[in-house]
Amino acid sequence: ARAEAAAAAWERAAAHARRAGDRHGYYESLTWIASSLWFGPTPAAEGIRRCEAMRAEVRESPESEAAILRELASLNAIVGRFAVARELLATSNAVYADLGFTLQVASSDHAAVVEVLAGNPAAAETSMRAAYRALEEMGERSFRSTMAATLGLVILEQGRDEEAEAL
């Protein structure tokens, strides 16, 4: 709950990594800055601008670009650009799938966030149920518990309290 402070720390880490010539560390830091922009107090328009700039910097790292695309999608959803947000998420998922990062594809709740912001909790539920099933099939438990909690919130959003409590 201290995204602004986290972003400042990641900015310092990125500067150190850049000076040291550590591209991996630099790109990783940028992905965490993007995450802080999404979770923190930064206005969405500024977050979009900064994520776009960071995306351009990490182009040679598909994994880092895919991570930034998720935060960029969520920020675009905040300002009502739902089609753009969905396209960014599809691109991110395709990159992760090409890299064989099935956990990253399955463990994202960004699609649900976009759909809730778009006023479509049923689509958010569909997304969360698919993510939960995929994580269950992998035998994954850590992210799956988060998916269950988010799924419960999406079900509550639709007024189905008893079903959410059963999760």
Side-chain angles (χ1 to χ4, degrees):
R2 296 185 60 211
E4 192 170 26
W10 285 113
E11 293 278 0
R12 288 190 302 278
H16 288 295
R18 186 178 3 181
R19 281 194 302 276
D22 177 4
R23 288 194 336 227
H24 175 75
Y26 179 65
Y27 295 158
E28 180 75 10
S29 296
L30 294 182
T31 67
W32 287 106
I33 293 167
S35 178
S36 297
L37 292 170
W38 157 236
F39 285 108
T42 304
E46 181 183 340
I48 290 168
R49 181 188 55 74
R50 292 187 62 202
C51 282
E52 288 288 2
M54 289 186 290
R55 179 183 181 193
E57 287 190 56
V58 302
R59 290 247 186 241
E60 68 181 39
S61 172
E63 179 182 1
S64 296
E65 184 176 10
I68 290 171
L69 287 174
R70 289 193 170 177
E71 313 310 343
L72 187 56
S74 297
L75 289 164
N76 271 279
I78 287 174
V79 298
R81 294 184 200 129
F82 304 115
V84 170
R86 291 178 186 112
E87 183 180 320
L88 292 167
L89 287 175
T91 301
S92 174
N93 285 339
V95 169
Y96 278 137
D98 286 348
L99 294 171
F101 292 178
T102 55
L103 179 61
Q104 283 81 349
V105 173
S107 65
S108 174
D109 61 355
H110 288 79
V113 167
V114 168
E115 295 306 333
V116 167
L117 289 171
N120 192 351
E125 179 181 352
T126 299
S127 171
M128 294 308 301
R129 286 190 184 279
Y132 185 89
R133 278 191 302 277
L135 292 169
E136 187 173 42
E137 288 171 10
M138 290 178 198
E140 201 289 329
R141 296 186 343 209
S142 177
F143 290 114
R144 191 172 61 181
S145 63
T146 302
M147 291 298 120
T150 305
L151 176 58
L153 291 172
V154 168
I155 291 169
L156 282 172
E157 177 78 16
Q158 297 174 78
R160 298 184 350 245
D161 298 359
E162 295 82 24
E163 187 177 342
E165 289 175 13
L167 289 175

